Amino acid sequence: MHYEGIVTVRFKKSVLEPQGQAVMLSLKETGHEDVDLIRVGKHIEVTLQAESEDMARQKLEKIAEELLYNPVMEVCEIQITGKA
Amino acid sequence: MHYEGIVTVRFKKSVLEPQGQAVMLSLKETGHEDVDLIRVGKHIEVTLQAESEDMARQKLEKIAEELLYNPVMEVCEIQITGKA
């Protein structure tokens, strides 16, 4: 079976996130003074083959740990969204 | 009032997405043959001031159009997730 999942990777709150800081600066320069905070993370869509939804989640967790995020600086959230 | 929102930016299905392709290649090399597709997009968290949820959404749409995505290659989804 083919399953679809989403891996959301965000920087930890304690870590300075440079891309968001850059966007904040541009917003202030273009008059958007009402923005308090912007943090940019990753939204990763994955389609994979697995025998069950549980297996799909386990595979996706393994892939995320190996390649998609850095546990020192980032947090990661995994959702299986449905069958493909 | 302070509102929290999420802007999700993804490449259009018709556009080749290089970061996802690179991850796919690494996965194949490390024995993850069961992954069909990976596409990497952006997950952008925003906190901003607005008079109402509708106003917050309008502001966020304007910011997204100005700075957060390229409508030629990407699609953008906006959610207001709550009050900060």
Side-chain angles (χ1 to χ4, degrees):
Chain A
M1 299 249 252
H2 296 255
Y3 289 88
E4 287 178 344
I6 292 173
V7 182
T8 307
V9 178
R10 286 171 294 170
F11 277 85
K12 287 180 183 173
K13 291 243 187 290
S14 55
V15 175
L16 187 75
E17 193 279 288
Q19 203 179 343
Q21 295 286 312
V23 175
M24 279 289 288
L25 207 66
S26 295
L27 284 173
K28 300 288 178 202
E29 281 171 5
T30 52
H32 294 282
E33 296 291 338
D34 39 13
V35 177
D36 302 318
L37 185 70
I38 293 208
R39 289 178 74 85
V40 181
K42 278 183 276 188
H43 173 93
I44 305 164
E45 295 172 318
V46 183
T47 309
L48 80 175
Q49 293 160 50
E51 282 143 42
S52 68
E53 193 171 319
D54 266 359
M55 282 295 294
R57 182 183 302 276
Q58 281 175 37
K59 281 186 184 184
L60 203 45
E61 279 170 8
K62 197 160 181 296
I63 290 166
E65 280 167 21
E66 281 181 27
L67 272 176
L68 300 178
Y69 88 110
N70 168 5
V72 177
M73 296 170 71
E74 295 170 324
V75 289
C76 168
E77 194 183 299
I78 288 169
Q79 289 169 273
I80 300 294
T81 51
K83 288 181 189 169
Chain B
M1 299 248 252
H2 297 256
Y3 289 89
E4 287 178 344
I6 292 172
V7 181
T8 308
V9 178
R10 286 171 293 169
F11 277 84
K12 286 181 183 172
K13 289 242 187 294
S14 56
V15 175
L16 186 76
E17 192 279 288
Q19 203 179 345
Q21 295 286 312
V23 176
M24 279 289 288
L25 207 65
S26 296
L27 285 172
K28 299 289 178 202
E29 281 172 5
T30 53
H32 294 282
E33 295 292 338
D34 38 14
V35 176
D36 302 319
L37 186 71
I38 292 208
R39 290 178 73 87
V40 181
K42 278 182 276 186
H43 173 92
I44 306 164
E45 294 171 318
V46 183
T47 309
L48 80 174
Q49 292 159 50
E51 282 143 44
S52 67
E53 193 171 319
D54 266 359
M55 282 296 292
R57 182 183 302 277
Q58 281 174 36
K59 282 187 182 182
L60 203 46
E61 279 170 7
K62 195 159 184 294
I63 289 167
E65 279 167 21
E66 281 181 28
L67 272 176
L68 300 178
Y69 88 110
N70 167 5
V72 177
M73 296 171 71
E74 294 169 323
V75 290
C76 168
E77 194 183 300
I78 288 168
Q79 288 169 273
I80 299 295
T81 51
K83 288 181 189 170

PDB file of all heavy atoms in Angstrom, chain B residues 65-82:
ATOM      1  N   GLU B  65       2.067  37.246  -0.170  1.00  0.00           N
ATOM      2  CA  GLU B  65       2.214  37.657  -1.571  1.00  0.00           C
ATOM      3  C   GLU B  65       3.463  38.500  -1.779  1.00  0.00           C
ATOM      4  O   GLU B  65       4.146  38.391  -2.788  1.00  0.00           O
ATOM      5  CB  GLU B  65       0.988  38.464  -2.011  1.00  0.00           C
ATOM      6  CG  GLU B  65      -0.182  37.574  -2.389  1.00  0.00           C
ATOM      7  CD  GLU B  65      -1.474  38.363  -2.512  1.00  0.00           C
ATOM      8  OE1 GLU B  65      -1.424  39.593  -2.704  1.00  0.00           O
ATOM      9  OE2 GLU B  65      -2.544  37.729  -2.399  1.00  0.00           O
ATOM     10  N   GLU B  66       3.760  39.358  -0.804  1.00  0.00           N
ATOM     11  CA  GLU B  66       4.903  40.264  -0.955  1.00  0.00           C
ATOM     12  C   GLU B  66       6.236  39.565  -0.760  1.00  0.00           C
ATOM     13  O   GLU B  66       7.214  39.896  -1.424  1.00  0.00           O
ATOM     14  CB  GLU B  66       4.797  41.415   0.057  1.00  0.00           C
ATOM     15  CG  GLU B  66       3.821  42.496  -0.371  1.00  0.00           C
ATOM     16  CD  GLU B  66       3.764  43.624   0.645  1.00  0.00           C
ATOM     17  OE1 GLU B  66       4.756  43.867   1.344  1.00  0.00           O
ATOM     18  OE2 GLU B  66       2.699  44.257   0.747  1.00  0.00           O
ATOM     19  N   LEU B  67       6.299  38.623   0.187  1.00  0.00           N
ATOM     20  CA  LEU B  67       7.616  38.127   0.610  1.00  0.00           C
ATOM     21  C   LEU B  67       7.778  36.616   0.716  1.00  0.00           C
ATOM     22  O   LEU B  67       8.892  36.123   0.690  1.00  0.00           O
ATOM     23  CB  LEU B  67       7.953  38.703   1.987  1.00  0.00           C
ATOM     24  CG  LEU B  67       8.643  40.046   2.040  1.00  0.00           C
ATOM     25  CD1 LEU B  67       8.783  40.464   3.488  1.00  0.00           C
ATOM     26  CD2 LEU B  67      10.015  39.999   1.389  1.00  0.00           C
ATOM     27  N   LEU B  68       6.696  35.882   0.902  1.00  0.00           N
ATOM     28  CA  LEU B  68       6.889  34.489   1.311  1.00  0.00           C
ATOM     29  C   LEU B  68       6.814  33.454   0.204  1.00  0.00           C
ATOM     30  O   LEU B  68       7.283  32.345   0.378  1.00  0.00           O
ATOM     31  CB  LEU B  68       5.906  34.128   2.429  1.00  0.00           C
ATOM     32  CG  LEU B  68       6.016  34.964   3.702  1.00  0.00           C
ATOM     33  CD1 LEU B  68       4.961  34.536   4.706  1.00  0.00           C
ATOM     34  CD2 LEU B  68       7.395  34.843   4.311  1.00  0.00           C
ATOM     35  N   TYR B  69       6.186  33.813  -0.929  1.00  0.00           N
ATOM     36  CA  TYR B  69       6.136  32.795  -1.987  1.00  0.00           C
ATOM     37  C   TYR B  69       6.128  33.413  -3.380  1.00  0.00           C
ATOM     38  O   TYR B  69       5.835  34.588  -3.561  1.00  0.00           O
ATOM     39  CB  TYR B  69       4.972  31.840  -1.760  1.00  0.00           C
ATOM     40  CG  TYR B  69       3.649  32.238  -2.354  1.00  0.00           C
ATOM     41  CD1 TYR B  69       3.129  31.536  -3.436  1.00  0.00           C
ATOM     42  CD2 TYR B  69       2.923  33.294  -1.837  1.00  0.00           C
ATOM     43  CE1 TYR B  69       1.907  31.873  -3.987  1.00  0.00           C
ATOM     44  CE2 TYR B  69       1.707  33.644  -2.384  1.00  0.00           C
ATOM     45  CZ  TYR B  69       1.206  32.935  -3.456  1.00  0.00           C
ATOM     46  OH  TYR B  69       0.012  33.284  -3.988  1.00  0.00           O
ATOM     47  N   ASN B  70       6.474  32.558  -4.324  1.00  0.00           N
ATOM     48  CA  ASN B  70       6.563  32.944  -5.722  1.00  0.00           C
ATOM     49  C   ASN B  70       5.406  32.280  -6.470  1.00  0.00           C
ATOM     50  O   ASN B  70       5.440  31.068  -6.700  1.00  0.00           O
ATOM     51  CB  ASN B  70       7.923  32.457  -6.250  1.00  0.00           C
ATOM     52  CG  ASN B  70       8.000  32.522  -7.755  1.00  0.00           C
ATOM     53  OD1 ASN B  70       7.093  32.998  -8.427  1.00  0.00           O
ATOM     54  ND2 ASN B  70       9.108  32.025  -8.293  1.00  0.00           N
ATOM     55  N   PRO B  71       4.364  33.048  -6.830  1.00  0.00           N
ATOM     56  CA  PRO B  71       3.165  32.439  -7.412  1.00  0.00           C
ATOM     57  C   PRO B  71       3.393  31.753  -8.759  1.00  0.00           C
ATOM     58  O   PRO B  71       2.550  30.977  -9.202  1.00  0.00           O
ATOM     59  CB  PRO B  71       2.192  33.621  -7.550  1.00  0.00           C
ATOM     60  CG  PRO B  71       3.043  34.841  -7.502  1.00  0.00           C
ATOM     61  CD  PRO B  71       4.251  34.507  -6.689  1.00  0.00           C
ATOM     62  N   VAL B  72       4.510  32.023  -9.398  1.00  0.00           N
ATOM     63  CA  VAL B  72       4.805  31.353 -10.673  1.00  0.00           C
ATOM     64  C   VAL B  72       5.105  29.870 -10.444  1.00  0.00           C
ATOM     65  O   VAL B  72       4.651  29.006 -11.183  1.00  0.00           O
ATOM     66  CB  VAL B  72       6.004  32.034 -11.381  1.00  0.00           C
ATOM     67  CG1 VAL B  72       6.360  31.298 -12.668  1.00  0.00           C
ATOM     68  CG2 VAL B  72       5.700  33.492 -11.669  1.00  0.00           C
ATOM     69  N   MET B  73       5.853  29.579  -9.372  1.00  0.00           N
ATOM     70  CA  MET B  73       6.307  28.207  -9.143  1.00  0.00           C
ATOM     71  C   MET B  73       5.673  27.547  -7.928  1.00  0.00           C
ATOM     72  O   MET B  73       5.766  26.322  -7.769  1.00  0.00           O
ATOM     73  CB  MET B  73       7.825  28.197  -8.948  1.00  0.00           C
ATOM     74  CG  MET B  73       8.571  28.653 -10.186  1.00  0.00           C
ATOM     75  SD  MET B  73      10.313  28.866  -9.852  1.00  0.00           S
ATOM     76  CE  MET B  73      10.841  27.178  -9.657  1.00  0.00           C
ATOM     77  N   GLU B  74       5.090  28.346  -7.040  1.00  0.00           N
ATOM     78  CA  GLU B  74       4.644  27.792  -5.752  1.00  0.00           C
ATOM     79  C   GLU B  74       3.158  28.051  -5.490  1.00  0.00           C
ATOM     80  O   GLU B  74       2.571  28.968  -6.059  1.00  0.00           O
ATOM     81  CB  GLU B  74       5.479  28.417  -4.623  1.00  0.00           C
ATOM     82  CG  GLU B  74       6.959  28.022  -4.693  1.00  0.00           C
ATOM     83  CD  GLU B  74       7.845  28.837  -3.743  1.00  0.00           C
ATOM     84  OE1 GLU B  74       7.584  30.043  -3.568  1.00  0.00           O
ATOM     85  OE2 GLU B  74       8.782  28.269  -3.187  1.00  0.00           O
ATOM     86  N   VAL B  75       2.596  27.238  -4.614  1.00  0.00           N
ATOM     87  CA  VAL B  75       1.259  27.501  -4.088  1.00  0.00           C
ATOM     88  C   VAL B  75       1.391  27.745  -2.585  1.00  0.00           C
ATOM     89  O   VAL B  75       2.317  27.265  -1.948  1.00  0.00           O
ATOM     90  CB  VAL B  75       0.256  26.354  -4.352  1.00  0.00           C
ATOM     91  CG1 VAL B  75      -0.096  26.277  -5.818  1.00  0.00           C
ATOM     92  CG2 VAL B  75       0.795  25.021  -3.859  1.00  0.00           C
ATOM     93  N   CYS B  76       0.435  28.475  -2.058  1.00  0.00           N
ATOM     94  CA  CYS B  76       0.531  28.947  -0.685  1.00  0.00           C
ATOM     95  C   CYS B  76      -0.808  28.730   0.012  1.00  0.00           C
ATOM     96  O   CYS B  76      -1.865  28.961  -0.575  1.00  0.00           O
ATOM     97  CB  CYS B  76       0.871  30.436  -0.779  1.00  0.00           C
ATOM     98  SG  CYS B  76       0.724  31.313   0.747  1.00  0.00           S
ATOM     99  N   GLU B  77      -0.758  28.251   1.248  1.00  0.00           N
ATOM    100  CA  GLU B  77      -1.978  28.002   2.024  1.00  0.00           C
ATOM    101  C   GLU B  77      -1.835  28.751   3.348  1.00  0.00           C
ATOM    102  O   GLU B  77      -0.790  28.654   3.998  1.00  0.00           O
ATOM    103  CB  GLU B  77      -2.060  26.503   2.270  1.00  0.00           C
ATOM    104  CG  GLU B  77      -3.383  25.998   2.764  1.00  0.00           C
ATOM    105  CD  GLU B  77      -3.266  24.485   3.025  1.00  0.00           C
ATOM    106  OE1 GLU B  77      -2.961  23.735   2.073  1.00  0.00           O
ATOM    107  OE2 GLU B  77      -3.445  24.093   4.184  1.00  0.00           O
ATOM    108  N   ILE B  78      -2.888  29.475   3.730  1.00  0.00           N
ATOM    109  CA  ILE B  78      -2.808  30.296   4.945  1.00  0.00           C
ATOM    110  C   ILE B  78      -3.834  29.840   5.974  1.00  0.00           C
ATOM    111  O   ILE B  78      -5.008  29.646   5.653  1.00  0.00           O
ATOM    112  CB  ILE B  78      -3.018  31.783   4.584  1.00  0.00           C
ATOM    113  CG1 ILE B  78      -1.773  32.301   3.857  1.00  0.00           C
ATOM    114  CG2 ILE B  78      -3.283  32.634   5.831  1.00  0.00           C
ATOM    115  CD1 ILE B  78      -1.937  33.623   3.207  1.00  0.00           C
ATOM    116  N   GLN B  79      -3.376  29.642   7.208  1.00  0.00           N
ATOM    117  CA  GLN B  79      -4.285  29.283   8.309  1.00  0.00           C
ATOM    118  C   GLN B  79      -4.028  30.223   9.472  1.00  0.00           C
ATOM    119  O   GLN B  79      -2.862  30.464   9.820  1.00  0.00           O
ATOM    120  CB  GLN B  79      -3.952  27.888   8.853  1.00  0.00           C
ATOM    121  CG  GLN B  79      -4.291  26.725   8.002  1.00  0.00           C
ATOM    122  CD  GLN B  79      -3.627  25.487   8.601  1.00  0.00           C
ATOM    123  OE1 GLN B  79      -2.467  25.195   8.296  1.00  0.00           O
ATOM    124  NE2 GLN B  79      -4.340  24.777   9.460  1.00  0.00           N
ATOM    125  N   ILE B  80      -5.094  30.699  10.104  1.00  0.00           N
ATOM    126  CA  ILE B  80      -4.934  31.382  11.391  1.00  0.00           C
ATOM    127  C   ILE B  80      -5.192  30.301  12.442  1.00  0.00           C
ATOM    128  O   ILE B  80      -6.261  29.684  12.453  1.00  0.00           O
ATOM    129  CB  ILE B  80      -5.922  32.560  11.535  1.00  0.00           C
ATOM    130  CG1 ILE B  80      -5.684  33.611  10.438  1.00  0.00           C
ATOM    131  CG2 ILE B  80      -5.814  33.186  12.926  1.00  0.00           C
ATOM    132  CD1 ILE B  80      -4.354  34.334  10.496  1.00  0.00           C
ATOM    133  N   THR B  81      -4.204  30.037  13.295  1.00  0.00           N
ATOM    134  CA  THR B  81      -4.323  28.898  14.207  1.00  0.00           C
ATOM    135  C   THR B  81      -4.815  29.280  15.602  1.00  0.00           C
ATOM    136  O   THR B  81      -5.211  28.429  16.377  1.00  0.00           O
ATOM    137  CB  THR B  81      -2.972  28.162  14.331  1.00  0.00           C
ATOM    138  OG1 THR B  81      -1.959  29.123  14.637  1.00  0.00           O
ATOM    139  CG2 THR B  81      -2.610  27.475  13.034  1.00  0.00           C
ATOM    140  N   GLY B  82      -4.786  30.567  15.932  1.00  0.00           N
ATOM    141  CA  GLY B  82      -5.292  30.952  17.241  1.00  0.00           C
ATOM    142  C   GLY B  82      -4.761  32.299  17.692  1.00  0.00           C
ATOM    143  O   GLY B  82      -4.078  32.991  16.940  1.00  0.00           O
TER     144      GLY B  82
END
